[in-house]
Protein backbone atom coordinates (compact mmCIF):
# COMPACT_ATOMS: atom_id res chain seq x y z
CA UNK A 1 0.00 0.00 0.00
CA UNK A 2 1.33 3.46 -0.92
CA UNK A 3 1.19 6.16 1.70
CA UNK A 4 0.85 9.89 1.27
CA UNK A 5 1.99 12.13 4.10
CA UNK A 6 0.03 15.35 4.33
CA UNK A 7 1.40 18.23 6.42
CA UNK A 8 -1.18 20.85 7.34
CA UNK A 9 0.52 24.04 8.53
CA UNK A 10 -2.11 26.81 8.60
CA UNK A 11 -3.29 28.21 11.96
CA UNK A 12 -6.80 27.73 10.58
CA UNK A 13 -6.06 24.01 10.21
CA UNK A 14 -8.67 22.18 8.13
CA UNK A 15 -10.75 25.36 7.69
CA UNK A 16 -8.02 27.17 5.78
CA UNK A 17 -8.41 27.55 2.06
CA UNK A 18 -5.05 25.87 1.55
CA UNK A 19 -6.18 22.84 3.56
CA UNK A 20 -9.47 22.62 1.65
CA UNK A 21 -7.59 22.65 -1.67
CA UNK A 22 -5.15 20.05 -0.36
CA UNK A 23 -8.10 17.92 0.74
CA UNK A 24 -9.32 18.08 -2.88
CA UNK A 25 -5.94 16.72 -4.02
CA UNK A 26 -6.22 13.89 -1.49
CA UNK A 27 -9.81 13.07 -2.48
CA UNK A 28 -8.76 12.95 -6.12
CA UNK A 29 -5.86 10.58 -5.37
CA UNK A 30 -7.87 8.29 -3.10
CA UNK A 31 -10.76 8.09 -5.56
CA UNK A 32 -8.33 6.99 -8.31
CA UNK A 33 -6.24 4.78 -5.97
CA UNK A 34 -8.48 3.49 -3.15
CA UNK A 35 -5.56 1.51 -1.70
CA UNK A 36 -3.54 4.67 -0.94
CA UNK A 37 -3.18 5.41 2.76
CA UNK A 38 -3.13 9.05 3.86
CA UNK A 39 -1.37 10.15 7.04
CA UNK A 40 -2.43 13.66 8.04
CA UNK A 41 -0.14 15.54 10.36
CA UNK A 42 -1.67 18.79 11.51
CA UNK A 43 1.19 20.84 12.90
CA UNK A 44 -1.37 23.17 14.49
CA UNK A 45 -4.04 20.87 15.94
CA UNK A 46 -1.33 18.52 17.18
CA UNK A 47 1.54 20.95 17.89
CA UNK A 48 5.05 19.62 18.33
CA UNK A 49 6.77 20.38 21.64
CA UNK A 50 9.36 23.15 21.66
CA UNK A 51 12.92 21.92 21.24
CA UNK A 52 14.40 21.04 24.63
CA UNK A 53 17.90 21.96 25.80
CA UNK A 54 18.80 18.25 25.94
CA UNK A 55 17.65 17.80 22.35
CA UNK A 56 19.66 20.81 21.20
CA UNK A 57 22.73 19.48 23.05
CA UNK A 58 22.14 15.96 21.77
CA UNK A 59 21.83 17.12 18.16
CA UNK A 60 25.44 18.25 18.23
CA UNK A 61 26.76 15.58 20.64
CA UNK A 62 24.82 12.74 18.96
CA UNK A 63 23.85 11.46 22.42
CA UNK A 64 20.16 12.11 22.95
CA UNK A 65 18.55 8.74 22.66
CA UNK A 66 16.93 8.84 26.10
CA UNK A 67 15.25 12.20 25.57
CA UNK A 68 11.55 12.37 24.66
CA UNK A 69 12.36 14.93 21.95
CA UNK A 70 14.51 12.24 20.34
CA UNK A 71 11.48 9.93 20.34
CA UNK A 72 9.44 12.70 18.71
CA UNK A 73 12.14 13.28 16.08
CA UNK A 74 12.44 9.57 15.40
CA UNK A 75 8.66 9.24 15.04
CA UNK A 76 8.45 12.15 12.57
CA UNK A 77 11.36 10.88 10.46
CA UNK A 78 9.87 7.39 10.47
CA UNK A 79 6.51 8.82 9.36
CA UNK A 80 8.23 10.66 6.51
CA UNK A 81 10.30 7.62 5.51
CA UNK A 82 7.16 5.50 5.20
CA UNK A 83 5.53 7.91 2.74
CA UNK A 84 5.80 7.54 -1.02
CA UNK A 85 4.50 11.05 -1.58
CA UNK A 86 4.50 14.27 0.43
CA UNK A 87 1.87 17.01 0.32
CA UNK A 88 2.42 20.25 2.24
CA UNK A 89 -0.19 22.97 2.57
CA UNK A 90 1.39 26.01 4.12
CA UNK A 91 0.78 29.73 4.49
CA UNK A 92 3.60 32.20 4.03
CA UNK A 93 4.31 33.88 7.36
CA UNK A 94 6.53 36.92 7.28
CA UNK A 95 8.08 35.98 3.95
CA UNK A 96 9.01 32.48 5.10
CA UNK A 97 7.63 29.18 6.40
CA UNK A 98 5.34 29.38 9.46
CA UNK A 99 6.92 28.50 12.81
CA UNK A 100 5.02 25.20 13.02
CA UNK A 101 6.58 23.95 9.78
CA UNK A 102 10.02 25.21 10.82
CA UNK A 103 9.72 23.22 14.06
CA UNK A 104 8.80 20.07 12.09
CA UNK A 105 11.94 20.59 9.98
CA UNK A 106 14.02 21.08 13.14
CA UNK A 107 12.88 17.64 14.32
CA UNK A 108 13.14 15.91 10.96
CA UNK A 109 16.53 17.23 9.83
CA UNK A 110 18.84 15.24 12.10
CA UNK A 111 22.52 14.68 11.50
CA UNK A 112 23.56 11.04 11.02
CA UNK A 113 19.92 10.08 10.72
CA UNK A 114 18.21 11.99 7.91
CA UNK A 115 21.34 13.65 6.55
CA UNK A 116 25.08 13.26 6.67
CA UNK A 117 27.67 15.99 6.61
CA UNK A 118 30.26 15.61 3.88
CA UNK A 119 33.04 17.88 2.60
CA UNK A 120 30.52 18.95 -0.09
CA UNK A 121 27.84 19.85 2.48
CA UNK A 122 24.75 18.10 3.86
CA UNK A 123 23.61 15.04 1.96
CA UNK A 124 20.16 13.63 2.65
CA UNK A 125 19.76 9.96 3.48
CA UNK A 126 16.02 9.70 2.78
CA UNK A 127 14.62 8.38 -0.48
CA UNK A 128 13.47 11.03 -2.92
CA UNK A 129 9.70 11.19 -3.44
CA UNK A 130 7.21 13.40 -5.30
CA UNK A 131 6.42 16.39 -3.16
CA UNK A 132 3.80 19.06 -3.71
CA UNK A 133 3.81 22.30 -1.74
CA UNK A 134 0.76 24.56 -1.86
CA UNK A 135 1.71 28.05 -0.68
CA UNK A 136 -0.99 30.46 0.41
CA UNK A 137 -0.12 34.09 0.94
CA UNK A 138 -1.97 37.35 1.44
CA UNK A 139 -0.26 38.97 -1.56
CA UNK A 140 1.70 37.62 -4.52
CA UNK A 141 5.10 36.31 -3.49
CA UNK A 142 6.31 35.20 -6.93
CA UNK A 143 6.24 36.70 -10.41
CA UNK A 144 6.26 40.29 -11.57
CA UNK A 145 3.41 41.34 -9.23
CA UNK A 146 5.29 40.29 -6.10
CA UNK A 147 6.00 43.20 -3.78
CA UNK A 148 7.72 41.10 -1.15
CA UNK A 149 10.65 38.70 -0.99
CA UNK A 150 9.99 34.96 -0.97
CA UNK A 151 12.30 33.20 1.49
CA UNK A 152 9.83 30.33 1.83
CA UNK A 153 10.53 28.68 -1.54
CA UNK A 154 14.35 28.63 -1.52
CA UNK A 155 14.42 27.69 2.15
CA UNK A 156 11.98 24.80 1.84
CA UNK A 157 13.69 23.62 -1.36
CA UNK A 158 17.04 23.56 0.41
CA UNK A 159 15.76 21.99 3.64
CA UNK A 160 13.94 19.21 1.77
CA UNK A 161 16.93 18.59 -0.49
CA UNK A 162 19.10 18.27 2.64
CA UNK A 163 16.85 15.33 3.54
CA UNK A 164 17.26 13.82 0.06
CA UNK A 165 13.94 15.10 -1.32
CA UNK A 166 14.55 16.93 -4.59
CA UNK A 167 11.40 16.17 -6.57
CA UNK A 168 9.48 19.18 -5.25
CA UNK A 169 6.78 21.22 -7.02
CA UNK A 170 5.38 24.48 -5.67
CA UNK A 171 1.92 25.87 -6.43
CA UNK A 172 1.05 29.38 -5.21
CA UNK A 173 -2.31 30.90 -4.46
CA UNK A 174 -2.12 34.49 -3.22
CA UNK A 175 -5.00 36.64 -2.04
CA UNK A 176 -7.24 36.56 1.00
CA UNK A 177 -10.31 35.85 -1.16
CA UNK A 178 -9.11 34.46 -4.49
CA UNK A 179 -11.51 34.61 -7.43
CA UNK A 180 -13.30 31.48 -8.62
CA UNK A 181 -11.12 31.63 -11.73
CA UNK A 182 -7.89 31.66 -9.69
CA UNK A 183 -9.22 28.81 -7.55
CA UNK A 184 -9.90 26.74 -10.65
CA UNK A 185 -6.44 27.50 -12.07
CA UNK A 186 -4.92 26.40 -8.76
CA UNK A 187 -6.95 23.16 -8.71
CA UNK A 188 -5.69 22.41 -12.24
CA UNK A 189 -2.08 23.20 -11.27
CA UNK A 190 -2.37 20.92 -8.23
CA UNK A 191 -3.95 18.12 -10.25
CA UNK A 192 -1.14 18.33 -12.83
CA UNK A 193 1.51 17.28 -10.29
CA UNK A 194 1.84 13.47 -10.04
CA UNK A 195 2.16 12.68 -6.33
CA UNK A 196 2.15 8.89 -6.29
C1 LIG B 1 1.69 35.81 11.20
C2 LIG B 1 1.30 35.99 9.76
C3 LIG B 1 2.24 36.43 8.87
C4 LIG B 1 1.91 36.59 7.53
N1 LIG B 1 2.88 36.98 6.67
C5 LIG B 1 2.59 37.09 5.36
C6 LIG B 1 3.59 37.46 4.41
O1 LIG B 1 4.77 37.64 4.73
N2 LIG B 1 3.23 37.59 3.13
C7 LIG B 1 1.94 37.38 2.70
O2 LIG B 1 1.68 37.53 1.51
N3 LIG B 1 0.98 37.01 3.56
C8 LIG B 1 1.27 36.86 4.87
N4 LIG B 1 0.29 36.48 5.76
C9 LIG B 1 -1.05 36.16 5.24
C10 LIG B 1 -1.20 34.65 5.08
O3 LIG B 1 -0.20 34.08 4.28
C11 LIG B 1 -2.56 34.31 4.47
O4 LIG B 1 -3.54 34.89 5.25
C12 LIG B 1 -2.72 32.84 4.48
O5 LIG B 1 -1.87 32.34 3.54
C13 LIG B 1 -4.11 32.37 4.23
O6 LIG B 1 -3.98 31.00 3.89
P1 LIG B 1 -5.05 29.94 4.34
O7 LIG B 1 -6.40 30.47 3.95
O8 LIG B 1 -4.69 28.69 3.61
O9 LIG B 1 -4.87 29.80 5.84
C14 LIG B 1 0.59 36.31 7.09
C15 LIG B 1 -0.37 35.87 8.02
C16 LIG B 1 -0.01 35.71 9.32
C17 LIG B 1 -1.06 35.21 10.30
Amino acid sequence: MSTLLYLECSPHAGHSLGARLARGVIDDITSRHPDVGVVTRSLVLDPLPPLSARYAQGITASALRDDEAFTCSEHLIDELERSEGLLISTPMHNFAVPAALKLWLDYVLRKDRSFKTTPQGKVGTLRDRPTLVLVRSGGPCTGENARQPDFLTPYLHYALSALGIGNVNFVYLPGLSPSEEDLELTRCALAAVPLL
Side-chain angles (χ1 to χ4, degrees):
M1 184 180 82
S2 296
T3 301
L4 176 72
L5 175 61
Y6 167 44
L7 296 184
E8 193 175 85
C9 311
S10 168
H12 306 293
H15 299 294
S16 76
L17 179 55
R20 283 182 278 138
L21 289 163
R23 192 48 65 185
V25 173
I26 292 169
D27 290 346
D28 183 44
I29 290 174
T30 52
S31 66
R32 284 186 289 114
H33 308 284
D35 57 325
V36 166
V38 179
V39 173
T40 298
R41 175 157 291 281
S42 171
L43 298 176
V44 171
L45 296 181
D46 191 11
L48 301 173
L51 297 181
S52 62
R54 272 182 58 73
Y55 185 73
Q57 285 155 5
I59 280 277
T60 42
S62 296
L64 54 102
R65 291 182 178 273
D66 60 338
D67 191 84
E68 65 184 29
F70 171 83
T71 310
C72 175
S73 163
E74 198 52 35
H75 178 74
L76 295 173
I77 296 171
D78 188 56
E79 191 170 72
L80 180 57
E81 273 181 323
R82 286 167 191 265
S83 70
E84 275 76 35
L86 175 62
L87 173 62
I88 302 175
S89 170
T90 181
M92 170 178 275
H93 278 178
N94 294 314
F95 327 113
V97 295
L101 179 54
K102 175 63 167 57
L103 187 56
W104 180 83
L105 288 163
D106 287 341
Y107 275 113
V108 164
L109 269 158
R110 216 172 82 222
K111 184 171 164 287
D112 297 328
R113 175 64 177 88
S114 54
F115 73 87
K116 295 200 177 304
T117 44
T118 74
Q120 287 72 42
K122 292 177 176 166
V123 175
T125 60
L126 304 193
R127 190 184 66 254
D128 197 3
R129 72 213 65 208
T131 296
L132 173 56
V133 184
L134 169 60
V135 181
R136 287 275 296 123
S137 56
C141 60
T142 56
E144 59 186 24
N145 292 327
R147 298 288 176 268
Q148 58 184 338
D150 170 20
F151 297 111
L152 186 156
T153 308
Y155 171 72
L156 200 50
H157 247 309
Y158 193 86
L160 291 171
S161 76
L163 291 166
I165 300 175
N167 181 3
V168 185
N169 285 280
F170 285 81
V171 172
Y172 304 87
L173 180 59
L176 297 180
S177 302
S179 66
E180 202 40 59
E181 188 186 352
D182 285 343
L183 283 172
E184 197 45 39
L185 285 172
T186 305
R187 286 190 196 100
C188 290
L190 292 170
V193 178
L195 255 185
L196 285 174

Short mmCIF file of all heavy atoms in Angstrom, two decimals, residues 84-105:
data_model
loop_
_atom_site.label_atom_id
_atom_site.label_comp_id
_atom_site.label_asym_id
_atom_site.label_seq_id
_atom_site.Cartn_x
_atom_site.Cartn_y
_atom_site.Cartn_z
N GLU A 84 5.33 7.55 0.37
CA GLU A 84 5.80 7.54 -1.02
C GLU A 84 5.60 8.90 -1.65
O GLU A 84 6.17 9.21 -2.70
CB GLU A 84 5.05 6.49 -1.84
CG GLU A 84 5.62 5.09 -1.75
CD GLU A 84 5.28 4.41 -0.44
OE1 GLU A 84 4.17 4.65 0.07
OE2 GLU A 84 6.11 3.66 0.08
N GLY A 85 4.75 9.70 -1.08
CA GLY A 85 4.50 11.05 -1.58
C GLY A 85 4.29 12.00 -0.41
O GLY A 85 3.87 11.57 0.67
N LEU A 86 4.62 13.27 -0.64
CA LEU A 86 4.50 14.27 0.43
C LEU A 86 3.72 15.47 -0.08
O LEU A 86 4.03 16.01 -1.15
CB LEU A 86 5.91 14.69 0.88
CG LEU A 86 6.03 15.81 1.91
CD1 LEU A 86 5.37 15.42 3.24
CD2 LEU A 86 7.51 16.15 2.15
N LEU A 87 2.69 15.84 0.66
CA LEU A 87 1.87 17.01 0.32
C LEU A 87 1.94 17.99 1.49
O LEU A 87 1.68 17.60 2.63
CB LEU A 87 0.41 16.56 0.08
CG LEU A 87 -0.63 17.64 -0.14
CD1 LEU A 87 -0.34 18.47 -1.39
CD2 LEU A 87 -2.03 17.01 -0.26
N ILE A 88 2.31 19.22 1.19
CA ILE A 88 2.42 20.25 2.24
C ILE A 88 1.52 21.41 1.87
O ILE A 88 1.64 21.97 0.77
CB ILE A 88 3.88 20.75 2.40
CG1 ILE A 88 4.82 19.59 2.72
CG2 ILE A 88 3.96 21.82 3.48
CD1 ILE A 88 6.31 20.00 2.77
N SER A 89 0.62 21.76 2.76
CA SER A 89 -0.19 22.97 2.57
C SER A 89 0.25 23.97 3.62
O SER A 89 0.11 23.72 4.83
CB SER A 89 -1.68 22.63 2.73
OG SER A 89 -2.42 23.83 2.78
N THR A 90 0.82 25.07 3.15
CA THR A 90 1.39 26.01 4.12
C THR A 90 1.08 27.46 3.76
O THR A 90 1.09 27.82 2.58
CB THR A 90 2.93 25.84 4.22
OG1 THR A 90 3.44 26.76 5.20
CG2 THR A 90 3.64 26.10 2.90
N PRO A 91 0.82 28.29 4.76
CA PRO A 91 0.78 29.73 4.49
C PRO A 91 2.20 30.28 4.48
O PRO A 91 3.13 29.65 5.02
CB PRO A 91 0.00 30.29 5.68
CG PRO A 91 0.24 29.33 6.79
CD PRO A 91 0.50 27.98 6.17
N MET A 92 2.36 31.44 3.85
CA MET A 92 3.60 32.20 4.03
C MET A 92 3.41 33.07 5.27
O MET A 92 2.39 33.75 5.41
CB MET A 92 3.86 33.09 2.81
CG MET A 92 4.99 34.09 3.06
SD MET A 92 5.36 35.11 1.60
CE MET A 92 6.47 34.04 0.74
N HIS A 93 4.34 33.00 6.19
CA HIS A 93 4.31 33.88 7.36
C HIS A 93 5.59 34.70 7.39
O HIS A 93 6.69 34.15 7.49
CB HIS A 93 4.19 33.05 8.66
CG HIS A 93 2.77 32.65 8.95
ND1 HIS A 93 2.42 31.88 10.04
CD2 HIS A 93 1.61 32.93 8.30
CE1 HIS A 93 1.11 31.69 10.04
NE2 HIS A 93 0.59 32.32 9.00
N ASN A 94 5.39 36.00 7.28
CA ASN A 94 6.53 36.92 7.28
C ASN A 94 7.63 36.46 6.32
O ASN A 94 8.78 36.28 6.72
CB ASN A 94 7.04 37.15 8.71
CG ASN A 94 5.98 37.89 9.51
OD1 ASN A 94 5.41 38.88 9.04
ND2 ASN A 94 5.67 37.39 10.70
N PHE A 95 7.20 36.25 5.10
CA PHE A 95 8.08 35.98 3.95
C PHE A 95 8.74 34.59 3.98
O PHE A 95 9.59 34.29 3.15
CB PHE A 95 9.18 37.06 3.81
CG PHE A 95 8.73 38.42 4.25
CD1 PHE A 95 9.26 39.03 5.39
CD2 PHE A 95 7.72 39.07 3.56
CE1 PHE A 95 8.80 40.27 5.81
CE2 PHE A 95 7.27 40.31 3.97
CZ PHE A 95 7.80 40.92 5.10
N ALA A 96 8.32 33.77 4.93
CA ALA A 96 9.01 32.48 5.10
C ALA A 96 8.02 31.41 5.54
O ALA A 96 6.79 31.63 5.52
CB ALA A 96 10.13 32.66 6.13
N VAL A 97 8.53 30.24 5.93
CA VAL A 97 7.63 29.18 6.40
C VAL A 97 7.08 29.55 7.78
O VAL A 97 7.75 30.22 8.56
CB VAL A 97 8.34 27.80 6.48
CG1 VAL A 97 8.76 27.30 5.12
CG2 VAL A 97 9.53 27.82 7.44
N PRO A 98 5.86 29.11 8.12
CA PRO A 98 5.34 29.38 9.46
C PRO A 98 6.14 28.59 10.51
O PRO A 98 6.78 27.58 10.18
CB PRO A 98 3.90 28.87 9.39
CG PRO A 98 3.85 27.92 8.26
CD PRO A 98 4.92 28.34 7.29
N ALA A 99 6.10 29.09 11.74
CA ALA A 99 6.92 28.50 12.81
C ALA A 99 6.64 27.01 12.99
O ALA A 99 7.55 26.23 13.27
CB ALA A 99 6.66 29.26 14.11
N ALA A 100 5.37 26.61 12.81
CA ALA A 100 5.02 25.20 13.02
C ALA A 100 5.75 24.29 12.03
O ALA A 100 6.21 23.21 12.40
CB ALA A 100 3.50 25.01 12.89
N LEU A 101 5.88 24.75 10.79
CA LEU A 101 6.58 23.95 9.78
C LEU A 101 8.09 23.97 10.04
O LEU A 101 8.78 22.96 9.86
CB LEU A 101 6.25 24.47 8.38
CG LEU A 101 6.92 23.79 7.19
CD1 LEU A 101 6.68 22.27 7.19
CD2 LEU A 101 6.42 24.39 5.87
N LYS A 102 8.58 25.11 10.48
CA LYS A 102 10.02 25.21 10.82
C LYS A 102 10.36 24.23 11.94
O LYS A 102 11.40 23.56 11.91
CB LYS A 102 10.34 26.65 11.22
CG LYS A 102 11.77 26.88 11.71
CD LYS A 102 12.79 26.59 10.61
CE LYS A 102 14.18 27.11 10.98
NZ LYS A 102 14.68 26.58 12.23
N LEU A 103 9.47 24.13 12.94
CA LEU A 103 9.72 23.22 14.06
C LEU A 103 9.74 21.76 13.57
O LEU A 103 10.58 20.96 13.98
CB LEU A 103 8.66 23.42 15.15
CG LEU A 103 8.86 22.68 16.45
CD1 LEU A 103 10.21 22.98 17.08
CD2 LEU A 103 7.74 23.03 17.45
N TRP A 104 8.81 21.42 12.66
CA TRP A 104 8.80 20.07 12.09
C TRP A 104 10.15 19.79 11.42
O TRP A 104 10.75 18.72 11.61
CB TRP A 104 7.65 19.94 11.10
CG TRP A 104 7.53 18.59 10.44
CD1 TRP A 104 6.93 17.47 10.95
CD2 TRP A 104 8.02 18.22 9.13
NE1 TRP A 104 7.01 16.43 10.04
CE2 TRP A 104 7.69 16.86 8.92
CE3 TRP A 104 8.71 18.89 8.12
CZ2 TRP A 104 8.01 16.17 7.75
CZ3 TRP A 104 9.04 18.20 6.96
CH2 TRP A 104 8.69 16.86 6.79
N LEU A 105 10.65 20.77 10.65
CA LEU A 105 11.94 20.59 9.98
C LEU A 105 13.07 20.44 11.01
O LEU A 105 14.00 19.65 10.81
CB LEU A 105 12.22 21.77 9.05
CG LEU A 105 11.35 21.80 7.78
CD1 LEU A 105 11.36 23.19 7.14
CD2 LEU A 105 11.82 20.75 6.77
#
